[in-house]
Amino acid sequence: MTKAHNAEHVTTNFEGNDQIVIPKIYWEWTRPRINVQEFVDGIPGVDIRAIDAAGMNRKRVAQTGASAVLKMIMVDGLFHADPHPGNFFILPGERIAFIDFGMIGRVSEVRRQQIMKLLQALLQNDAEGLCAILLQWADREGDDPGELQGAVEEFLGNYAGTSMSMMDLSAMVSDLLSLVRDNGLTMPPDQAMLLKVFVSLDGAFKKLDPDFDIMVAIQPTLSDVVVNQLSPRALGKRGLKLLSQYVELFADLPKEIRRGIYSAKSGHLKIRVEVNQLDELQRMFIRGARLMALAGITSALVIGASIMMSVSKRSKD
């Protein structure tokens, strides 16, 4: 029944959008192992000849489908994680019906903002912005990019000025993952999954429209997201969240101060000092001690030999 619940959630998110259809769930007949949905009388997304024969505008269909999936990801945070052509039908009026919500993805608000910044960095050829996101994903936010900056500039340079309609997005994602790996970074599993969805999305709609450019398709959604984030309601929500965090911080502050004072008075206050490269420092001390011991032994042997030579000479005299 998970598929049915997922489908209903997505249906709610597309209320008022007559271009996207999610087949209705008939709960009275649905069971844990049986999912009964409304019949969809449409053209499978894989049947290009039938779409052309029906006089459909394939460019418009591709844009509608891409905008729908991007809205799921960037706005709703709940998306179809397998948007291949076999999972949607084309209906009259270039409408699209999505089916099979067995694979569903969820994106937190923080992750949505990060993927938006990633896409903006790619659109604007912004190496500094892309470095910041990659370091943030690897929990190294604020680190000096160092050699990463050069690697990112080279990566962006390989794709700068090239239309996404002429580009292999899967190769681009593969290059990005190689860049992450080669620079000792990591990528959160949910973001790696999102990149896979973008590759599937690009491949699915390029079959409908060979000139499909996912970066062009995504721009209206990105603009809507930016506008929504700057709306009074969104700003108020973020402000309230930030305020609650500060309230919690200051509420705990007296307790932490009292705990510190008590520890100091009772003699249990501990100060931890971390020394960088402690192992190397330890090895240096060990090498120094060994050299001193060797020098001492050598000196003793020289002095002993000198004494023996002196005693032997006096005996002969």
Side-chain angles (χ1 to χ4, degrees):
M1 296 177 72
T2 301
K3 286 185 180 183
H5 286 295
N6 290 339
E8 282 219 328
H9 284 309
V10 176
T11 300
T12 301
N13 292 335
F14 280 97
E15 283 182 355
N17 187 334
D18 59 2
Q19 289 301 107
I20 302 301
V21 175
I22 311 297
K24 179 183 176 182
I25 305 295
Y26 293 101
W27 288 105
E28 60 268 35
W29 294 301
T30 294
R31 298 292 181 270
R33 300 184 65 177
I34 301 175
N35 182 24
V36 182
Q37 289 183 263
E38 176 186 5
F39 175 71
V40 176
D41 187 11
I43 303 170
V46 294
D47 195 343
I48 302 300
R49 289 185 179 180
I51 294 171
D52 288 340
M56 301 282 190
N57 185 326
R58 284 198 271 141
K59 287 183 180 292
R60 190 180 302 162
V61 170
Q63 180 62 53
T64 299
S67 296
V69 178
L70 292 169
K71 175 189 179 295
M72 293 182 206
I73 295 171
M74 304 300 298
V75 179
D76 305 329
L78 181 74
F79 62 94
H80 198 305
D82 194 21
H84 62 75
N87 277 342
F88 60 84
F89 289 87
I90 315 301
L91 308 179
E94 280 95 18
R95 294 176 301 146
I96 293 183
F98 287 96
I99 63 168
D100 192 359
F101 287 88
M103 285 184 64
I104 204 80
R106 298 180 186 275
V107 197
S108 67
E109 185 177 351
V110 171
R111 289 286 192 242
R112 276 178 279 174
Q113 290 182 7
Q114 289 174 345
I115 199 70
M116 183 183 72
K117 290 176 182 177
L118 172 74
L119 293 169
Q120 286 177 328
L122 292 174
L123 281 167
Q124 298 166 7
N125 201 35
D126 179 8
E128 186 177 344
L130 184 52
C131 280
I133 289 298
L134 294 179
L135 289 172
Q136 195 173 21
W137 280 348
D139 290 327
R140 288 170 49 187
E141 188 175 7
D143 280 12
D144 182 357
E147 295 181 359
L148 176 63
Q149 181 88 18
V152 167
E153 288 175 355
E154 182 180 355
F155 165 76
L156 291 174
N158 291 335
Y159 297 98
T162 305
S163 169
M164 289 298 293
S165 63
M166 303 295 293
M167 193 183 298
D168 184 350
L169 186 61
S170 63
M172 184 181 185
V173 169
S174 178
D175 287 347
L176 180 62
L177 294 175
S178 295
L179 185 153
V180 168
R181 183 183 61 251
D182 294 345
N183 286 274
L185 303 175
T186 56
M187 183 175 289
D190 56 345
Q191 294 299 65
M193 179 185 182
L194 261 181
L195 291 177
K196 174 182 175 294
V197 170
F198 278 114
V199 171
S200 298
L201 184 65
D202 184 65
F205 293 112
K206 270 185 179 174
K207 289 178 181 177
L208 282 170
D209 174 17
D211 296 326
F212 177 74
D213 187 331
I214 193 170
M215 287 306 185
V216 172
I218 203 173
Q219 288 184 40
T221 303
L222 284 179
S223 298
D224 290 344
V225 170
V226 171
V227 170
N228 288 337
Q229 287 183 343
L230 295 176
S231 68
R233 181 180 178 182
L235 290 173
K237 182 180 178 181
R238 288 201 296 275
L240 185 61
K241 182 178 179 181
L242 187 62
L243 179 62
S244 66
Q245 290 174 345
Y246 278 116
V247 168
E248 290 178 7
L249 173 65
F250 284 107
D252 289 338
L253 195 57
K255 180 177 65 178
E256 297 299 327
I257 292 173
R258 287 196 301 271
R259 184 180 298 169
I261 293 172
Y262 174 78
S263 297
K265 289 175 67 177
S266 62
H268 294 110
L269 183 65
K270 295 181 181 179
I271 299 176
R272 186 179 68 183
V273 178
E274 295 183 0
V275 181
N276 290 332
Q277 299 179 332
L278 186 59
D279 291 341
E280 180 62 25
L281 189 63
Q282 185 179 12
R283 285 194 291 269
M284 288 173 63
F285 276 121
I286 292 172
R287 285 198 298 269
R290 287 175 177 170
L291 287 172
M292 288 179 67
L294 183 60
I297 293 170
T298 303
S299 299
L301 289 173
V302 171
I303 293 171
S306 300
I307 293 172
M308 289 182 66
M309 288 175 65
S310 176
V311 171
S312 176
K313 184 178 179 182
R314 288 179 181 177
S315 297
K316 290 179 181 179
D317 293 344

